[in-house]
Amino acid sequence: MTAEIIDGNAIAGSIRQEIAAEVTGWADRGLRIPGLAVILVGSDPASEVYVRGKRKDCDEVGFHSNVQHLSDHVTQQDLEERILALNEDDSVDGILVQTPLPAHIDEDRIIDCIDPDKDVDGFHAYNMGRLALRRPAFRSCTPKGVMMLLEQLDIEIRGMDAAVIGASNHVGRPMTLELLLAGCTVITAHKFTRDITEKVKLADIVISAVGKPGLVTADWIKPGAVVIDVGITRGEGNRLYGDVDFDGVREVASQITPVPGGVGPMTRVALLKNTLQAAKLHQHLPADED
Ligand code: NAD
């Protein structure tokens, strides 16, 4: 079997067009167009690339965006005060603090400061709790992007066995909660998991979010499984690598995402969806059914 390659760029592109079409005409109807505020601290090259991408996406769909680029000497208090000011700013629907933050900043406390109704990254404990309780509000962008991608495949995932590899707060854990909500039976593997190959091999859907190139090889995969590679590792010349041994796994899986061009664009479009959702919430417009 040679797996079909899932084109995340194409799927994200069509969702972006839907968002742009929805927002066209808002200003004529007296509505305020969605606004995203991004805080970028320091000069991590990868973070700068991600933030540029977010601005470009906002421009493309007709959202406002504004970026506060702060020195990596910013204090905890200054950063918290900036977030509290954005919470009060009615022109801002979504607030995103680009991670990683410098070591002297307490990231949990920063996320705690964001108004949960503006938490378009879905990282706030309130939004994570809502997802855990099966009443999702703002859902983390990468797991939400993966779910939007799975929805485009011609498969009924309810009742399927899924394996999530990686258990971080931002990706692995909310990914597990999303799949549970969708009716999958989920195994969450992490660095302490024993006999990981046997466990992952039970799964109809495998989602890897670790950051170790070549970790997931063909012998981990049940024939015909769908394989979603969230991992991104930058190699020489800024080349991107996923977690999955793409060429080997492609011969066993039924469908597979590439890196780049798989989950990355879906994460970006999920942020636009969340920002649109926030703008609707703040202007008392009917929400999407998602
Ligand atoms: P993280 O470092 O916070 O978490 C990594 C997880 O992998 C941990 O739970 C750890 O226990 C687990 N792990 C480590 N070694 C393992 C092993 N040998 N076997 C099984 N599990 C192991 O990273 P993160 O923030 O969750 O991100 C994971 C990856 O996803 C990274 O490569 C990151 O760059 C990428 N990422 C991609 C996107 C995207 O849009 N495509 C978005 C966010 C993160």
Side-chain angles (χ1 to χ4, degrees):
M1 173 180 288
T2 301
E4 193 184 312
I5 298 174
I6 302 167
D7 187 346
N9 280 320
I11 297 170
S14 70
I15 298 171
R16 258 198 318 275
Q17 279 176 10
E18 285 167 22
I19 295 171
E22 189 171 348
V23 169
T24 304
W26 271 33
D28 295 341
R29 288 164 55 204
L31 296 170
R32 194 177 40 69
I33 63 169
L36 175 69
V38 178
I39 296 184
L40 170 64
V41 180
S43 50
D44 173 49
S47 294
E48 287 182 356
V49 169
Y50 290 137
V51 169
R52 267 202 301 281
K54 285 164 185 164
R55 283 202 90 148
K56 183 169 158 277
D57 290 346
C58 283
D59 290 346
E60 198 179 317
V61 296
F63 291 2
H64 276 306
S65 65
N66 97 58
V67 178
Q68 296 187 29
H69 194 164
L70 311 176
S71 133
D72 52 12
H73 300 302
V74 68
T75 63
Q76 179 86 27
Q77 189 184 347
D78 186 4
L79 203 46
E80 289 183 8
E81 282 170 359
R82 284 170 188 271
I83 293 167
L84 297 177
L86 291 171
N87 286 345
E88 296 303 317
D89 183 340
D90 287 340
S91 70
V92 171
D93 293 298
I95 302 169
L96 183 147
V97 180
Q98 184 68 43
T99 55
L101 291 169
H104 68 278
I105 301 288
D106 181 337
E107 191 178 311
D108 288 341
R109 273 177 50 201
I110 294 299
I111 294 170
D112 286 348
C113 288
I114 299 174
D115 176 348
D117 283 348
K118 295 191 175 188
D119 172 37
V120 286
D121 243 344
F123 290 165
H124 194 284
Y126 173 83
N127 285 312
M128 284 289 169
R130 290 281 302 243
L131 179 60
L133 295 174
R134 296 182 282 175
R135 294 162 54 211
F138 288 101
R139 298 156 56 197
S140 297
C141 296
T142 299
K144 175 172 176 158
V146 170
M147 296 312 288
M148 294 194 308
L149 191 144
L150 290 173
E151 276 161 25
Q152 300 293 316
L153 310 181
D154 199 14
I155 50 169
E156 168 60 59
I157 70 167
R158 179 173 298 137
M160 280 191 169
D161 294 327
V164 177
I165 312 170
S168 69
N169 286 352
H170 290 178
V171 190
R173 269 161 216 264
M175 189 72 251
T176 293
L177 293 171
E178 288 280 358
L179 290 163
L180 257 182
L181 184 60
C184 294
T185 302
V186 194
I187 288 171
T188 308
H190 44 75
K191 62 184 170 195
F192 303 123
T193 301
R194 294 188 207 142
D195 303 324
I196 195 165
T197 311
E198 286 71 25
K199 287 171 178 134
V200 172
K201 208 165 182 159
L202 297 171
D204 307 301
I205 302 171
V206 177
I207 299 177
S208 186
V210 175
K212 291 204 167 147
L215 177 74
V216 179
T217 47
D219 56 321
W220 292 37
I221 303 300
K222 175 173 165 178
V226 174
V227 178
I228 309 289
D229 193 350
V230 177
I232 297 180
T233 304
R234 273 171 207 275
E236 254 177 54
N238 247 352
R239 193 176 156 194
L240 301 185
Y241 297 89
D243 293 344
V244 174
D245 167 24
F246 184 84
D247 293 335
V249 170
R250 201 181 167 201
E251 297 309 313
V252 186
S254 61
Q255 307 199 60
I256 186 169
T257 58
V259 176
V263 174
M266 297 305 298
T267 297
R268 284 167 58 172
V269 83
L271 174 65
L272 296 176
K273 286 279 261 186
N274 280 352
T275 305
L276 180 61
Q277 181 184 338
K280 288 179 176 175
L281 176 73
H282 298 139
Q283 297 183 84
H284 310 290
L285 299 170
D288 280 349
E289 302 228 338
D290 67 357

